[in-house]
Amino acid sequence: MGLSVEVSDDTLREGMQTPGLMFSIEEKLTIAQAPKEAGVRRMVVAHPPAHVSEVEATREIVRRVTDVKVFGLGRALRSDVDAIASTGANVSIHLPFEGGYERALEACKYTKDRYPNLELSVGLVDVSSYSHERLVRTAVEFEGAGADVIELPDTTGRLTPRRYGDLVRRVREAVSCKLSVHCHDDRGLAVANSLAGVEAGAELVEAAVMGLGERNGIAD
């Protein structure tokens, strides 16, 4: 079976959750070039709402790393969306919801109305905590609010390939937007779960160089 999948490099965002890891802006620029040279055309590079240094780093990567879709990460809040958009990066926002579910949906609609040229990716954090029905319903509602991509993170690394693949398949049957998998390696299954997600219909795999990331990291 032929599979079509695109890698989304998360080394400069998820990778920075690795204990003790810190890069200067120039180091980040050097690192951002490496995935591009390997053929990666999509990367999440920072959390601009967190600090002015994250804004500066994102802005410089957008300016100097061309022919790549660059994303900044933030919460599902207007203020975070504005901080990301100010850098020129595309918008990746994550749940759970600060201010409530309706406010998160409104933040998505705001993004598409205010910044129609930017791609919007929405991460439904910790998908193992959802019932299948709730996960599908949430994905459908956020696609309706403007999400171009729905991310399905196994945030705690608890799922197995069969369970994760079934979860992705159910969402795939309900939405037409792109799906992205983001699997943590707590049980050593990040790559296996990512492949199961692709086989179930996901088009994007979020990964980091050497599997860097929070706790045991994510897919390598």
Side-chain angles (χ1 to χ4, degrees), residues 141-157:
E141 290 182 340
F142 278 92
E143 180 185 37
D148 300 298
V149 177
I150 298 291
E151 303 169 27
L152 300 172
D154 180 20
T155 307
T156 55

Side-chain angles (χ1 to χ4, degrees), residues 185-208:
D185 206 33
D186 297 71
R187 293 183 175 178
L189 294 172
V191 171
N193 283 345
S194 296
L195 292 173
V198 170
E199 290 178 337
E203 296 92 343
L204 299 167
V205 173
E206 299 174 29

